Amino acid sequence: MSDQVVEVAGLRVSVGGRALVDGVSFGLGPGEVVALVGASGSGKTTTGLALLGEVPAGAEVSGHVGVKGRAGFVPQHPGAVLNPVRRVGSVLRELAPAADVERAVDVARFPRSLLGRYPHQLSGGQQQRLVLAQALLCDPAVVVADEPTTGLDRGTRDEVVAEFARLAGRGVALVVLSHDMDVVRALADHVVVLRAGKVIESGRAAEVLLNPKHPYTRALLVEPVRSAAGSEHGAERLRIEGLTAHHGRNVVLDDVSFAVSAGECLAVMGRSGSGKTTLARCVVGLHPPTAGTVALDGRPLARTLRSRDRTDLAAIQYVFQDARASFDHRRPVLDQVARTAALLRGMSTADSVAAAIAALAEVRVDEPTARRRPATLSGGELHRAALARALLAEPRVLVCDEITTGLDAVTRASVLKGLAALRETHGVTLVVITHDHAVADHLADRVVTLHEGRVTAGAPRTRSETP
């Protein structure tokens, strides 16, 4: 009898005659870690969900999937599995006794002090650690982790990776779906490379990562070429002055001030929970500040979206960290992207759809894919669609919250190149919320670092800087 915890043989998942996964096979023993890698849409998430018995609606499934014991799941987009109207601690305590909840949140490095908060009051990194704790409550034999370090700063990422390594050391099998090759190198015993649903290379991690045989695998391992930040900028475009914001009684931002010029890129960095996403939401009007101002081209803006006119709404656009949550799951992606052009630029229905198709093509989302509903697109495809939707408004300021999160190296390089071109050709101001030092090094003229809601540093970057 096999001692493997996971057995996948000849797995095929198709929807409407289109194969999402085609002939995938691998096995996993107790305490072993397999990493499924590949570009967006390669079939990683479909394969991982099949281990949990989850397949897309209307899918045809063949082959064999066997899992011994319970399986836990850490999703790429934690907000999708958190109840927005329930305090997170009360939900966990319905799943397990209080002592087990405390043990799980401690293991996941989720502070007990935050159990009284709602999901929207947590940073992306805090949400990710919370869903890890939730997965651990079932005492799983295998954990499927879909981009488990999404949105985490380097220090927190290392802590999460170390915890996964400890789980494996206790005999828990791990299936890690990731674009982050540092995470793969740190954790994986085996690597399976997927492209268009097929396995194109697999083997021991050391062999695949150090001596890849397929050109596609080599492309996935390439980091984006770093470029010097631009030195010529226009007049001041965006000014944040004395910005203070709360979540309930908790101060999340405390007297934050900085300015960004036309065509400049400012990277906002800091650990999970430092206030980066709340700052972004204040800038675009999604979170009303307690005090302070957000000014565009020298003119203070209304504190909330509802109070801003169409011109101001178009002028500052936001690309969310959780792209999936930013789309209505009931409507085709193309319709939602086109709506931006119709509402903010006054285009006709036909013209807005044509403009949306063109914008989506520029970020490598073709029309047939865009005409599907969000649930059938990969995380990377939705991230690129969200970027296209924001750019359709022809913004003067683009706020990008973890813009490269969950993107493979090839797609990430393409997105960074596109953002750099946007600055140079249209003078768009970029505010990039990121944990990725390589992204800041590639794009940013200056970096502002937040710690516990306050600005602790703001300095120019040069080509010679090392992250």
Side-chain angles (χ1 to χ4, degrees), residues 79-103:
V81 297
L82 297 175
N83 189 326
V85 298
R86 298 282 306 281
R87 296 183 191 275
V88 299
S90 64
V91 173
L92 293 181
R93 293 184 188 103
E94 289 182 355
L95 300 174
D100 291 345
V101 169
E102 291 177 355
R103 176 186 58 81

Side-chain angles (χ1 to χ4, degrees), residues 101-353:
V101 169
E102 291 177 355
R103 176 186 58 81
V105 298
D106 289 346
V107 166
R109 303 294 197 273
F110 182 83
R112 295 185 188 183
S113 61
L114 301 183
L115 288 172
R117 291 192 181 184
Y118 293 96
H120 74 274
Q121 295 176 322
L122 302 174
S123 70
Q126 290 164 346
Q127 289 185 355
Q128 193 69 287
R129 294 194 294 273
L130 176 64
V131 296
L132 172 57
Q134 186 170 296
L136 296 176
L137 287 176
C138 71
D139 193 21
V142 58
V143 169
V144 178
D146 191 355
E147 301 289 352
T149 57
T150 290
L152 301 183
D153 60 89
R154 182 176 296 180
T156 306
R157 181 194 68 181
D158 292 344
E159 292 174 1
V160 170
V161 167
E163 183 50 44
F164 275 118
R166 284 191 286 269
L167 285 178
R170 293 199 292 263
V172 178
L174 299 177
V175 179
V176 179
L177 324 179
S178 185
H179 292 112
D180 190 332
M181 290 302 166
D182 288 337
V183 172
V184 173
R185 291 183 183 96
L187 283 175
D189 300 303
H190 310 277
V191 172
V192 177
V193 183
L194 296 174
R195 184 180 190 183
K198 294 179 179 291
V199 176
I200 63 166
E201 188 166 356
S202 66
R204 299 288 301 178
E207 179 66 20
V208 173
L209 297 175
L210 296 177
N211 187 29
K213 296 179 173 60
H214 198 284
Y216 178 75
T217 307
R218 291 195 291 271
L220 289 174
L221 297 173
V222 173
E223 290 294 322
V225 176
R226 297 180 179 180
S227 62
S231 56
E232 297 297 329
H233 308 297
E236 180 180 289
R237 173 61 53 80
L238 179 72
R239 175 170 286 276
I240 309 301
E241 193 72 43
L243 203 66
T244 299
H246 289 71
H247 282 312
R249 296 180 179 179
N250 299 304
V251 178
V252 187
L253 294 176
D254 187 4
D255 194 25
V256 172
S257 300
F258 59 83
V260 198
S261 301
E264 186 180 12
C265 177
L266 178 77
V268 180
M269 305 189 74
R271 297 204 64 166
S272 298
S274 62
K276 301 186 304 299
T277 293
T278 300
L279 172 61
R281 292 172 65 85
C282 287
V283 170
V284 299
L286 288 171
H287 187 107
T290 309
T293 58
V294 176
L296 179 69
D297 293 327
R299 180 173 55 86
L301 295 175
R303 295 167 66 246
T304 64
L305 278 178
R306 292 181 179 180
S307 302
R308 296 183 184 181
D309 61 25
R310 187 169 74 174
T311 300
D312 287 343
L313 291 175
I316 302 181
Q317 287 291 297
Y318 188 24
V319 183
F320 293 82
Q321 177 177 342
D322 187 350
R324 192 171 298 278
S326 73
F327 283 93
D328 183 342
H329 70 277
R330 298 165 297 183
R331 299 171 54 222
V333 169
L334 177 60
D335 292 355
Q336 298 181 63
V337 174
R339 186 170 173 78
T340 294
L343 290 179
L344 300 183
R345 292 173 58 188
M347 287 186 173
S348 67
T349 299
D351 287 345
S352 64
V353 169

Side-chain angles (χ1 to χ4, degrees), residues 226-229 269 437-438 440-442 444-447 449 458-467:
R226 297 180 179 180
S227 62
M269 305 189 74
H437 286 265
D441 197 46
H442 182 94
D445 301 292
R446 289 183 295 123
V447 174
T449 302
R461 294 183 72 84
T462 65
R463 181 182 291 271
S464 60
E465 278 192 75
T466 56

